[in-house]
Amino acid sequence: MVGIQIHTTVNCRMLKHWMVVLLLLWSCIKVAENLQPGRTQRAAPYPRRAKRGWVWNQFVVPEEMDIRQHVGQLRSELDNGNNSFQYKLLETGAGSFSIDERTGDIFAIQKLDREEKSLYILRAQVIDTTTGKAVEPESEFVIRVLDINDNKPKFLDEPYEATIPEMSPEGTFVIKVTANDADDPATGYHARILYNLEKGQPYFSVEPTTGVIRISSKMDRELQDTYCIIIQARDMLGQPGALSGTTIVSITLSDINDNKPIFKESFYRFTVSESAPSGTTIGKIMAYDDDIGDNAKMDYSIEDDDSEIFDIITDNETQEGIIILKKKVDFEHQNHYGIRAKVKNHHVDKELASAHVNASSTYIKVQVEDEDEPPAFLLPYYIFGIPEEKQHGSIVGTVSAIDIDRRQSPIRYSITGSKMFHIHDNGTIITTNLLDREVSAWYNLSVTATETYNEQQMSSAPVYVQVFNINDHAPEFSQYYETYVCENAEYGEIIQTISAIDRDESIEDHQFYFNHSVENTNNSSFILRDNKDNTAVILTNRTGFSLKEEPVFSMIIFIADNGIPSLTSTNTLTIQVCDCGESGSTETCTSKGLLFIMGFKTELIIAILLCITVIFGFVFLMLAMKQRRKQTQFPEKSEEFGENKFCYDDEGGREEDSEAYDIVELRSSAVIRERKSWRSKSAEIRSFYRQSLQVGPDTAIFRKFILEKLEEANTDPCAPPFDSLQTFAFEGTGSSAGSLSSLGSKATDQEDNFDYLNDLGPRFKRLACMFGSTMQTNN
């Protein structure tokens, strides 16, 4: 077996470094050591049938070689150099490599990148060109791409951010960074990375092999709260020619409560009015804390304030201290105050307690401003007592108020709440009426004090007046007693138990004494016995009573109280004799009395209802009659009558009608009809002429028609005046010109004189001719 010849060509231009050359030589030595004899097969076209064959193995080629770089040579042991063999590279490697068919040299036709593909498996075949047949079977060989350091380290998890507490001790872990190198880690130190801190000293450091960043010096957030450091990663263990990559790490310091709040102002001055109510805001103070967030929350307090007049609270939004008035101040009592306030953080960890000793404080001076205040009563309320029935003007008590301001204004008093009292300018309260405890035992008054210099300033105080009781009411029966005695009552039989009441108020319990009058005691059918317990019983003093002879008895009873002085009242008890029947009980008498009362009440109620019914009926009748009078007298002619209801205010023909004419008289009065019928013919014609001026021209036809209608109306006593005369039937006395109606004219034969019409001018000439000619004709 003959070994295959291997020729390896290295492009020196690709070797940038002497290490690359050494690595290539080392790789070639390893390949030569691994060469092993391959299989041999007899070539078919040769008659000697001697064994022939060719050997395959792997080739090593560096990545990033130039195009058409020589990789190696395939050569069959049967090839005698007569150029009769043809070497072919099958399709599996045609894309990246080519072969010289005559010599068997293999070339790379494109740049190789180990990071993309590090191993190629190819197939080749030798063909005899004279016969066109394969000299040997297909054979595989391997081309391995050798790595060179052509990739720089890259950081995987960018960007890097970290947060650590301020003032952390040295060596505190911050963050770990990691870089990756795409080169072959098995080839030299191409993928061996070392980390280096390019920016960030002296506060941080990085471990070279792990990329762990640690604190190398304490840092204060109040001085600087963020840091940006740069970490470099170099391959080949940082040796010359190594490639590198960098990343930026952002580090933020979180706050810890390592600073106590401090007042920048050591003195504050505020003012407050003495009229300010409790809870009034006086002013604000402010402390400053370099910490942030919850570490900057503060609590304000007041030191050693025995007066407890002021208080301080914290505004959670602005962290200001708000001074408020806890109690009202009085300028006249004290016009200024001095307090000291301190501040501390709301929460402090035990580890940082040493930084918060000796809390900061400030001094606050509060000046009280004087105000014109209303008068002040010496007591918040007054209670007085006075016996009842005291005479008018009796003194009840005295109230007093003063002006607490410097000018000491005089005070004027007034009283409200009752008209039973009056108050003088000096505050003395007197009575204006007699007081009766039984009417009112207490009086609630309100006394107002007003400054004379400023009437707007006033104040009030309640005054309670108690009316003391005196024994001015005698005792009396506690109720009305209906007492009955049976006709067959026996001697000493109890017929009634009585008790008494007293409207007076007694310190001790009331004690009443009952007694029978002397007259009734000597000659009485009944006797009284005092039970000594504020009650007494009435007993019969004989046997048998007669309802017919003496049905009713009156018994006089005296009742005395235990007041000072004692009062006695005289009371009359009425006793009725009753026929108790076989039962012998007065309950039947009580029932009969009740039935009698109920019957009497029923009759009374019925009588009252009848009276009310009669009254309402009379009222309705009057209203109906009044309404009927207002209706139209002639309902069948209501439309015609309605047309003639006018009010004339023009001067008429000198005829006067002093009163309104009622059409009812036209129906009922025959005298008026007779008056019209007695009128002479000439008077009728003159009346016709007067009316004709309103109805149309002076023609014979109209004259005749009107005269006929007038005659019919005068001769018919039942017909209403439906002719033109009824125009004046409803005229009253309201016209200033007088009445125009002739209904009320006197029925005489005396003729009117119309000569004055000739003196009125040409407009009245026609009237003068008409009436003048008529007069001549009549004459």
Side-chain angles (χ1 to χ4, degrees):
M1 296 177 61
V2 180
I4 185 169
Q5 297 178 3
I6 300 174
H7 301 279
T8 301
T9 304
V10 179
N11 188 357
C12 294
R13 289 179 300 175
M14 295 296 295
L15 302 178
K16 301 177 181 179
H17 201 272
W18 62 272
M19 288 295 294
V20 178
V21 177
L22 294 176
L23 290 173
L24 289 175
L25 293 176
W26 178 79
S27 299
C28 291
I29 294 171
K30 300 295 283 185
V31 171
E33 293 177 352
N34 293 329
L35 286 177
Q36 296 180 359
R39 293 174 300 171
T40 58
Q41 294 182 357
R42 184 172 54 185
Y46 295 98
R48 293 185 298 173
R49 304 180 64 84
K51 290 183 178 181
R52 297 286 186 267
W54 62 303
V55 180
W56 65 272
N57 208 321
Q58 64 178 356
F59 300 98
V60 178
V61 57
E63 62 178 335
E64 300 295 337
M65 293 179 60
D66 292 335
I67 300 176
R68 297 296 300 172
Q69 282 295 320
H70 185 263
V71 176
Q73 184 182 28
L74 293 178
R75 190 172 182 81
S76 176
E77 60 184 9
L78 299 179
D79 189 359
N80 54 9
N82 58 0
N83 296 328
S84 61
F85 285 1
Q86 182 183 7
Y87 297 92
K88 286 186 176 182
L89 191 63
L90 300 181
E91 294 181 358
T92 56
S96 301
F97 302 93
S98 64
I99 191 171
D100 189 337
E101 294 180 352
R102 185 179 59 84
T103 62
D105 290 322
I106 300 174
F107 298 92
I109 62 175
Q110 67 178 13
K111 284 188 176 183
L112 303 179
D113 189 354
R114 190 203 65 83
E115 285 71 37
E116 294 182 0
K117 192 171 184 180
S118 61
L119 184 66
Y120 294 88
I121 301 175
L122 306 178
R123 297 181 67 86
Q125 191 175 38
V126 181
I127 299 175
D128 189 348
T129 57
T130 59
T131 63
K133 296 181 179 180
V135 178
E136 295 183 6
E138 295 179 5
S139 180
E140 289 184 353
F141 65 96
V142 176
I143 298 178
R144 192 177 298 276
V145 181
L146 184 65
D147 180 58
I148 65 173
N149 190 21
D150 60 343
N151 290 282
K152 64 180 181 179
K154 292 183 179 180
F155 288 91
L156 302 178
D157 302 321
E158 292 182 309
Y160 290 96
E161 295 179 351
T163 301
I164 58 172
E166 63 174 329
M167 306 303 292
S168 296
E170 297 181 8
T172 301
F173 172 83
V174 180
I175 194 174
K176 180 180 180 180
V177 296
T178 303
N180 186 35
D181 197 326
D183 292 326
D184 186 6
T187 304
Y189 298 106
H190 293 178
R192 297 290 300 275
I193 299 174
L194 291 180
Y195 298 94
N196 180 41
L197 181 63
E198 286 194 348
K199 179 184 176 182
Q201 296 86 356
Y203 301 109
F204 302 94
S205 62
V206 62
E207 295 180 359
T209 57
T210 61
V212 174
I213 301 174
R214 298 183 182 276
I215 293 177
S216 58
S217 179
K218 288 185 177 181
M219 292 166 287
D220 191 353
R221 188 202 63 82
E222 286 72 33
L223 299 179
Q224 184 177 348
D225 57 352
T226 58
Y227 293 85
C228 291
I229 63 175
I230 299 176
I231 302 297
Q232 182 189 57
R234 295 171 61 88
D235 57 12
M236 295 184 63
L237 299 178
Q239 297 176 5
L243 302 179
S244 64
T246 59
T247 187
I248 297 176
V249 180
S250 178
I251 302 174
T252 302
L253 299 181
S254 61
D255 183 58
I256 63 173
N257 196 2
D258 58 340
N259 294 279
K260 67 179 182 180
I262 297 176
F263 286 106
K264 292 187 177 181
E265 300 290 338
S266 59
F267 179 77
Y268 288 90
R269 183 189 298 272
F270 300 112
T271 59
V272 61
S273 173
E274 64 174 341
S275 61
S278 300
T280 302
T281 299
I282 299 175
K284 296 181 179 180
I285 60 177
M286 184 65 184
Y288 298 88
D289 193 333
D290 292 332
D291 296 323
I292 59 175
D294 292 341
N295 295 328
K297 291 183 177 181
M298 294 175 278
D299 290 333
Y300 296 88
S301 60
I302 296 178
E303 292 182 334
D304 302 331
D305 183 19
D306 298 333
S307 62
E308 296 184 353
I309 294 178
F310 304 97
D311 196 4
I312 185 169
I313 60 176
T314 304
D315 188 337
N316 294 327
E317 297 294 333
T318 62
Q319 296 302 311
E320 293 178 308
I322 303 175
I323 309 296
I324 61 174
L325 188 63
K326 194 174 180 180
K327 296 180 181 179
K328 291 194 67 174
V329 292
D330 188 358
F331 176 83
E332 287 71 27
H333 179 262
Q334 186 173 350
N335 58 15
H336 70 277
Y337 295 87
I339 57 177
R340 180 169 293 277
K342 66 178 181 179
V343 62
K344 63 180 181 179
N345 284 125
H346 183 69
H347 176 72
V348 180
D349 294 331
K350 294 181 179 180
E351 298 80 6
L352 302 172
S354 59
H356 294 266
V357 296
N358 300 326
S360 177
S361 63
T362 185
Y363 185 77
I364 302 171
K365 184 176 182 180
V366 181
Q367 186 71 36
V368 180
E369 295 180 345
D370 188 20
E371 295 289 341
D372 189 7
E373 298 177 274
F377 283 90
L378 299 183
L379 296 176
Y381 60 91
Y382 293 86
I383 300 178
F384 300 121
I386 183 174
E388 62 179 335
E389 303 298 337
K390 274 282 188 178
Q391 62 180 357
H392 169 75
S394 299
I395 296 177
V396 178
T398 302
V399 299
S400 180
I402 59 172
D403 183 9
I404 58 178
D405 296 322
R406 291 182 176 179
R407 60 181 180 178
Q408 296 291 316
S409 172
I411 304 300
R412 184 176 67 253
Y413 298 93
S414 61
I415 193 169
T416 58
S418 177
K419 296 181 179 180
M420 307 293 291
F421 303 92
H422 175 71
I423 188 170
H424 293 302
D425 291 340
N426 60 356
T428 301
I429 300 174
I430 62 173
T431 60
T432 58
N433 292 281
L434 292 178
L435 303 181
D436 188 355
R437 192 207 63 83
E438 286 70 33
V439 175
S440 179
W442 284 90
Y443 290 90
N444 299 331
L445 311 178
S446 178
V447 175
T448 302
T450 305
E451 291 185 7
T452 304
Y453 297 156
N454 184 4
E455 295 184 355
Q456 300 297 326
Q457 296 296 337
M458 60 180 63
S459 60
S460 301
V463 177
Y464 308 101
V465 179
Q466 181 182 10
V467 180
F468 297 140
N469 180 66
I470 62 174
N471 194 20
D472 57 344
H473 290 85
E476 57 190 14
F477 281 148
S478 60
Q479 65 181 28
Y480 173 75
Y481 294 102
E482 293 182 358
T483 306
Y484 297 92
V485 60
C486 295
E487 287 183 305
N488 55 357
E490 297 294 336
Y491 174 81
E493 182 178 337
I494 298 176
I495 62 173
Q496 184 69 56
T497 301
I498 61 175
S499 62
I501 59 172
D502 192 341
R503 291 186 295 168
D504 290 323
E505 181 183 5
S506 176
I507 300 177
E508 300 178 355
D509 294 335
H510 284 290
Q511 182 65 44
F512 301 113
Y513 306 96
F514 300 88
N515 194 10
H516 199 186
S517 65
V518 177
E519 297 178 357
N520 290 339
T521 302
N522 297 331
N523 184 18
S524 175
S525 299
F526 305 93
I527 59 175
L528 180 145
R529 184 177 67 196
D530 192 347
N531 295 330
K532 307 300 181 180
D533 59 353
N534 293 338
T535 62
V537 293
I538 308 298
L539 299 91
T540 57
N541 198 24
R542 72 181 187 183
T543 300
F545 294 88
S546 177
L547 177 62
K548 294 180 179 180
E549 295 178 0
E550 196 173 5
V552 178
F553 293 89
S554 296
M555 183 177 183
I556 299 174
I557 300 174
F558 300 112
I559 306 176
D561 60 15
N562 60 339
I564 302 175
S566 178
L567 296 180
T568 303
S569 65
T570 302
N571 303 269
T572 301
L573 180 65
T574 301
I575 303 173
Q576 301 180 27
V577 179
C578 176
D579 183 8
C580 300
E582 297 179 357
S583 62
S585 175
T586 58
E587 293 181 359
T588 57
C589 303
T590 306
S591 301
K592 292 179 180 180
L594 180 61
L595 291 175
F596 174 76
I597 294 173
M598 291 297 295
F600 176 75
K601 290 183 178 178
T602 303
E603 294 176 356
L604 180 63
I605 292 173
I606 293 175
I608 292 173
L609 290 176
L610 288 175
C611 293
I612 293 174
T613 303
V614 172
I615 292 172
F616 274 102
F618 181 74
V619 171
F620 289 150
L621 180 61
M622 295 297 294
L623 292 176
M625 294 179 63
K626 187 176 182 180
Q627 185 69 21
R628 185 176 180 182
R629 289 181 181 178
K630 292 182 179 180
Q631 294 179 352
T632 307
Q633 299 296 333
F634 308 103
E636 68 278 7
K637 299 294 184 177
S638 59
E639 296 182 358
E640 291 83 357
F641 274 88
E643 294 177 355
N644 295 323
K645 293 181 181 179
F646 296 99
C647 181
Y648 293 90
D649 200 13
D650 299 330
E651 185 176 0
R654 297 187 65 184
E655 291 182 344
E656 297 181 356
D657 203 354
S658 60
E659 295 182 358
Y661 195 87
D662 192 354
I663 194 171
V664 178
E665 295 181 9
L666 295 177
R667 292 180 178 270
S668 60
S669 177
V671 178
I672 298 177
R673 289 294 181 184
E674 293 176 359
R675 187 179 298 176
K676 291 185 177 181
S677 63
W678 294 343
R679 298 177 66 182
S680 64
K681 192 68 177 180
S682 61
E684 293 178 358
I685 294 175
R686 289 195 300 271
S687 177
F688 158 72
Y689 277 132
R690 295 189 190 100
Q691 301 302 326
S692 66
L693 294 176
Q694 301 179 7
V695 299
D698 187 13
T699 62
I701 296 174
F702 284 101
R703 285 198 302 271
K704 184 178 179 181
F705 174 79
I706 294 174
L707 288 173
E708 291 177 354
K709 294 297 180 182
L710 181 61
E711 186 65 20
E712 292 177 1
N714 290 334
T715 57
D716 187 2
C718 297
F722 290 138
D723 54 10
S724 62
L725 296 177
Q726 61 188 335
T727 303
F728 310 98
F730 299 98
E731 183 173 331
T733 60
S735 175
S736 60
S739 175
L740 301 178
S741 175
S742 61
L743 297 177
S745 302
K746 296 180 179 180
T748 62
D749 293 335
Q750 184 180 356
E751 301 295 337
D752 296 329
N753 187 6
F754 296 101
D755 294 339
Y756 69 92
L757 296 176
N758 296 321
D759 300 334
L760 297 178
R763 294 185 177 181
F764 294 88
K765 184 177 181 180
R766 177 64 176 171
L767 293 175
C769 293
M770 290 173 57
F771 287 94
S773 61
T774 302
M775 293 172 63
Q776 293 175 3
T777 302
N778 294 333
N779 293 332

